[in-house]
Amino acid sequence: MKALLPTGRPEEMVELGESQEPQPAADEALIEVRAFSVNRGEVFQLHGPLRPGGGRPGKDIAGVVVRAAADGTGPAVGRRVVGHPPANGWAQYVAVPTRSLTEIPDDLSFESAAALPLAGLTALRLLRTAGSVTGKRILLTGASGGVGHYVTELAIGEGAEVTAITATPERGKHLTEFGATVAHDLSEAAGPYDIVMESVGGTSTPQSLALLKERGQLIWFGQASRQPAQLSFFEFFKGPRSATVRHFHYEHFDEPFGTDLAQLVSLVAKDRLHPQIGRLEDWQHTATTLNDLRDRKITGNAVLRVG
């Protein structure tokens, strides 16, 4: 089958080549991939020397079941699905655990469905971690990507007041349509906030923490700047009293991915969630798309059609 293979070259991180068709385990369905989304984390995974046994990337896919799981779980042959495999999704075929799949309706395109998994799951689970956000003031850093889009739309839909920090006015313009206040530097943020969702790292983390109100919570879920964050607990003790700092990872939840993917699909069907595709290309242009994603030339999700 055709697949995108890592090259180890930073100027062209992947190239189309040949790979063995996957042999699904008993609890996996074989999916013919129609579209996939790429994420900045995968860019960092590819940007450097190849790791022995590193495999192929690809965690966000949408397509059609061509072989149902042997154990009888999951969707039947011919069903349209969205899935979140652990890897290997940038290919014509991928094996996906049925607990990480859900069916999609005919009126949801493969391209829009492929934009849901990683960003949508992260957003949904961030808000679950935060608890009830109705009437709460939320500060969201690094908000111009797919996660920021989904968090902002979902939180405002639940009655929260969101301040979104984006690098430029252009990258935050769509968030104002949901009712968010968009700022381009933390010095412009009018705290204090009940909840801070921090994904930038570096100096952003202590600056964000200082904007918490008493008994507020900071949820740390990324380090997009690639700069280490340093916190002074002496300053923290003098800051928001009884505040909490929590490390978040979207995988560490009891709910299987398929259950939460079904919720995301339902929200789209109810017109409460709208995937934002900032780049849509044929998968032959994946290498260029990865470079542009790394260089922050794409707002929202980057989606590739598999020809």
Side-chain angles (χ1 to χ4, degrees), residues 85-239:
N88 302 327
W90 301 353
Q92 288 180 308
Y93 299 96
V94 63
V96 184
T98 55
R99 64 184 178 276
S100 299
L101 283 171
T102 196
E103 295 187 32
I104 59 174
D106 291 340
D107 59 357
L108 179 60
S109 71
F110 291 119
E111 293 82 5
S112 292
L116 286 173
L118 182 58
L121 289 167
T122 301
L124 193 68
R125 292 176 171 196
L126 274 169
L127 290 170
R128 185 175 300 154
T129 299
S132 174
V133 298
T134 303
K136 299 290 182 64
R137 301 191 74 226
I138 298 175
L139 176 66
L140 175 65
T141 65
S144 57
V147 175
H149 170 95
Y150 290 137
V151 167
T152 300
E153 185 172 16
L154 291 173
I156 289 176
E158 293 181 20
E161 178 186 329
V162 176
T163 297
I165 307 297
T166 64
T168 64
E170 293 76 17
R171 293 180 68 83
K173 183 177 179 181
H174 68 286
L175 301 178
T176 62
E177 298 172 2
F178 299 136
T181 298
V182 175
H184 313 299
D185 190 274
L186 281 169
S187 63
E188 303 171 16
Y193 295 93
D194 300 283
I195 301 163
V196 171
M197 296 182 181
E198 156 63 0
S199 66
V200 176
T203 59
S204 175
T205 305
Q207 289 175 351
S208 299
L209 183 61
L211 292 169
L212 266 184
K213 68 187 299 184
E214 292 186 356
R215 300 184 182 180
Q217 63 172 323
L218 182 145
I219 305 171
W220 182 77
F221 70 101
Q223 198 157 290
S225 69
R226 315 304 290 174
Q227 299 297 317
Q230 296 184 351
L231 296 178
S232 166
F233 279 90
F234 289 103
E235 293 298 320
F236 186 30
F237 291 149
K238 293 188 296 183

Side-chain angles (χ1 to χ4, degrees), residues 20 22 36 82 99 136 174 177 182 207 214 252 271 282 289 297 300:
Q20 291 290 325
F36 61 83
V82 60
R99 64 184 178 276
K136 299 290 182 64
H174 68 286
E177 298 172 2
V182 175
Q207 289 175 351
E214 292 186 356
H252 295 165
D271 203 36
D282 183 89
T289 300
K297 295 180 180 179

